[in-house]
Amino acid sequence: MSRLSRNPEERNLNGKVTEVHKAHRSILTDAFGRRHTYLRLSITERCNLRCTYCMPEEGIPLAEKDKLLSLEEIEALSRLFVELGVRKIRVTGGEPLVRAGVGELCGRLRQIEGLHTLALSTNGVLLAQKARGLRDNGVSHINVSLDTLSVDTFRTLARRDRLKDVLNGIYEAKRMGFESLKINVVVMRGVNEHELPDFVRLADALEVHVRFIEFMPFLGNKWSPELVVPLGEMKRIISSQFTLHPRETDPASDGPATEFSIQGGRGVIGFISSLSEPSCSGCSRLRLTADGMFRVCLFAQDAVDLKSLVRSGVSRLEMEKAIGEAVSGKWWRRPELNELVGKGDRAMVAIGG
Ligand code: SAM
Ligand code: SF4
């Protein structure tokens, strides 16, 4: 049993939640009553693309291997979070599919009692090769980032020539029949906003969800306000060709997207407007980075070093105290935009989205 496991008597023996489990769940409830049931778990800072909106062209300084959580440490921390009330884990990165052992890790996470949903976000480059293994290891929800359907724009945006691989990855994931398959599009003015109607057609053709994301400022991503296409404008571009019908948001998505169906179509369209309409009041997300830093908000300026705590052998109680203090100190709403620009301590690639 790992150092982080609780006393076996406190475990959920008959599939029922014990009083101890119920009490511990409050550790993940913040001062405003928000329960945090969703953990975004970054397993690597490496990536096989160099998306302009995510990282600088030269990449980021990578942590030495021993500064990253091992797969065993990731599993132990995930188990702890599930015991505290997390019900959904999304494996992310960097690009999670470049980390050796990702399939095996997913298989181990899937075994954690109490975890309802195991999801993964990928750029899709290696997905054609890995989709079957992910599905067989219990991943049920896949999000693929794809920002353009043009070979040239892809080369400029991702600074690599891999559009064909990403499309093949999406087709293979579709064939594998994941419970959920979504395509995430970061929309940037003058780069890809004219492609929104093409993505609506893709959502229809593949019967998948496509989500359009406002471009957010992070360290090293050359963000500027002129590049942002706000929610209202994205909707106007799409509405000029399609009729949008509001849709009840998928309760399993735990996300900030507002969703629409298209009249006469089979796909679903979503918008993530973290800049123009932040959805902080319903936030249920926590983040653990590949180097073991625990962040209670995507835009947080500080983090708790859980890796050092695990490695120094602190008690389970001390781990819970550190996590609980961070969660209870979570702000109600992210700072205003002018306070975010140029302030972040990390590139997005080292946070995990
Ligand atoms: N490599 C994987 C991928 O691309 O999906 C997982 C990591 S990536 C950091 C996670 C998500 O963050 C992706 O959907 C990506 O589009 C999004 N993202 C990265 N930088 C962003 C930014 N500046 N604004 C909005 N979304 C961003
Ligand atoms: Fe890599 Fe994903 Fe960032 Fe693109 S968005 S650079 S694929 S981590």
Side-chain angles (χ1 to χ4, degrees):
M1 191 178 296
S2 93
R3 195 159 50 212
L4 299 177
S5 295
R6 65 173 64 255
N7 176 338
E9 282 162 27
E10 298 170 356
R11 283 178 168 275
N12 179 353
L13 294 176
N14 308 313
K16 287 189 186 144
V17 176
T18 65
E19 288 309 310
V20 178
H21 271 87
K22 277 189 204 160
H24 278 84
R25 276 197 191 161
S26 63
I27 289 172
L28 299 189
T29 301
D30 70 15
F32 305 99
R34 292 174 296 196
R35 277 185 60 206
H36 294 82
T37 53
Y38 178 11
L39 178 67
R40 294 184 66 98
L41 184 65
S42 173
I43 64 167
T44 180
E45 298 177 335
R46 292 175 186 274
C47 189
N48 43 7
L49 298 182
R50 290 283 179 278
C51 305
T52 54
Y53 54 75
C54 182
M55 65 195 290
E57 183 162 15
E58 66 279 12
I60 57 161
L62 294 171
E64 290 154 37
K65 198 163 172 238
D66 68 327
K67 301 258 165 44
L68 299 177
L69 292 172
S70 67
L71 296 184
E72 289 69 29
E73 288 168 335
I74 293 174
E75 183 189 352
L77 281 166
S78 301
R79 191 176 294 281
L80 171 64
F81 276 103
V82 173
E83 288 175 1
L84 296 179
V86 160
R87 293 292 165 260
K88 173 176 174 178
I89 291 180
R90 175 173 299 283
V91 177
T92 177
E95 172 47 37
L97 299 189
V98 303
R99 177 141 187 193
V102 58
E104 187 199 330
L105 172 69
C106 290
R108 277 150 55 177
L109 296 179
R110 186 61 280 179
Q111 300 301 317
I112 299 176
E113 191 183 347
L115 182 69
H116 296 173
T117 307
L118 181 59
L120 181 134
S121 286
T122 172
N123 61 28
V125 170
L126 298 173
L127 190 55
Q129 292 146 252
K130 304 224 174 195
R132 181 182 293 275
L134 293 173
R135 189 200 58 188
D136 294 350
N137 276 298
V139 176
S140 54
H141 292 55
I142 295 269
N143 286 0
V144 183
S145 294
L146 174 64
D147 312 297
T148 176
L149 300 171
S150 144
V151 174
D152 291 336
T153 310
F154 190 98
R155 200 184 297 116
T156 310
L157 247 186
R159 302 183 178 114
R160 298 287 186 273
D161 206 353
R162 306 298 295 266
L163 175 60
K164 206 166 148 217
D165 297 319
V166 179
L167 290 173
N168 284 337
I170 292 171
Y171 301 145
E172 185 60 13
K174 182 74 192 158
R175 263 196 297 278
M176 287 299 124
F178 288 95
E179 199 179 306
S180 161
L181 177 60
K182 294 181 180 167
I183 296 175
N184 285 341
V185 185
V186 176
V187 182
M188 298 169 74
R189 188 180 307 285
V191 178
N192 61 351
E193 87 269 37
H194 61 286
E195 292 192 58
L196 266 55
D198 295 334
F199 275 104
V200 174
R201 282 184 270 275
L202 185 77
D204 182 38
L206 295 180
E207 285 185 66
V208 295
H209 287 213
V210 171
R211 290 151 8 132
F212 300 112
I213 304 174
E214 286 177 347
F215 177 32
M216 296 182 281
F218 287 95
L219 191 72
N221 75 354
K222 299 209 175 72
W223 182 90
S224 81
E226 302 80 53
L227 289 172
V228 177
V229 183
L231 169 72
E233 191 178 340
M234 292 196 235
K235 278 192 192 161
R236 272 197 301 281
I237 295 171
I238 294 174
S239 302
S240 67
Q241 297 190 32
F242 304 95
T243 306
L244 289 168
H245 290 291
R247 195 173 178 277
E248 222 164 89
T249 301
D250 173 6
S253 76
D254 286 320
T258 46
E259 293 184 341
F260 297 83
S261 53
I262 301 288
Q263 192 170 337
R266 295 167 303 172
V268 173
I269 301 303
F271 298 96
I272 300 181
S273 48
S274 306
L275 285 191
S276 60
E277 291 178 18
S279 55
C280 304
S281 60
C283 183
S284 62
R285 297 172 170 215
L286 301 171
R287 291 173 168 83
L288 184 63
T289 61
D291 58 346
M293 303 300 284
F294 175 55
R295 299 170 77 102
V296 295
C297 173
L298 179 58
F299 298 105
Q301 310 287 335
D302 49 7
V304 179
D305 184 357
L306 293 187
K307 174 181 81 288
S308 296
L309 288 180
V310 170
R311 291 186 184 174
S312 63
V314 301
S315 68
R316 161 83 181 221
L317 218 59
E318 285 171 272
M319 290 294 293
E320 291 181 358
K321 190 164 169 270
I323 293 169
E325 277 174 8
V327 172
S328 64
K330 178 165 171 167
W331 50 37
W332 169 240
R333 195 184 145 101
R334 66 147 172 80
E336 292 306 318
L337 193 55
N338 58 358
E339 289 172 53
L340 292 178
V341 180
K343 292 278 168 55
D345 61 333
R346 284 177 178 230
M348 180 63 130
V349 66
I351 303 174

